[in-house]
Amino acid sequence: MSEEEINNTLARICRVLASIPSGHVVTYGDLAAMAGFPKGARLAGQQLRKLPKDTKLPWHRVINAQGRLSLPEPRASYQRELLQSEGVSFLKGRIDMAKYRWRP
DNA sequence: CCTATGACTGCAA
DNA sequence: TTTGCAGCCATAG
């Protein structure tokens, strides 16, 4: 891996993303911070948007700080299915952050 | 170089 | 609880 790649924003985001365990979620802000961008929540979303539709990375484990999905339909429904399939439940359209938020 | 644009946030009202 | 908005920051034009 070239030095340029490990400093690439997307690569850093992906590395953290890949470490999120199934059944857990993180916020955009968390993802960015863990990748070295303390205030890069929007940046995280911008990078996730670049991922190919068929990526193997767990992009669906990233939700907003309100415990809601920030994706427009119909992607949001797909994301909700993926999360529910790995045990993350929704209550009144929201995810219980205290219960599922992942912190190393 | 400068402005616009978001899969965002936290806080004030 | 909901809404509005300034702050944020790499990217794109």
Side-chain angles (χ1 to χ4, degrees):
Chain A
M1 187 180 281
S2 73
E3 188 163 325
E4 179 141 27
E5 274 184 312
I6 64 176
N7 280 322
N8 177 353
T9 304
L10 178 58
R12 294 171 65 174
I13 292 288
C14 288
R15 197 186 310 167
V16 176
L17 182 58
S19 73
I20 304 171
S22 173
H24 290 267
V25 297
V26 297
T27 68
Y28 291 90
D30 292 337
L31 178 61
M34 290 187 269
F37 300 94
K39 303 191 173 170
R42 308 192 74 150
L43 178 61
Q46 184 182 68
Q47 297 306 314
L48 290 183
R49 189 161 52 75
K50 292 181 180 177
L51 296 175
K53 200 180 65 174
D54 61 351
T55 181
K56 304 289 185 184
L57 294 170
W59 57 271
H60 57 283
R61 295 176 192 152
V62 184
I63 64 179
N64 66 36
Q66 282 49 243
R68 297 171 172 288
L69 306 184
S70 290
L71 221 49
E73 293 293 346
R75 293 288 278 168
S77 294
Y78 178 47
Q79 177 175 21
R80 180 158 47 71
E81 287 177 48
L82 291 174
L83 286 170
Q84 296 181 311
S85 74
E86 47 183 56
V88 177
S89 58
F90 286 67
L91 186 55
K92 300 184 199 307
R94 311 205 316 85
I95 289 175
D96 183 339
M97 296 305 279
K99 182 177 181 180
Y100 299 107
R101 190 178 201 173
W102 181 63
R103 42 264 191 179

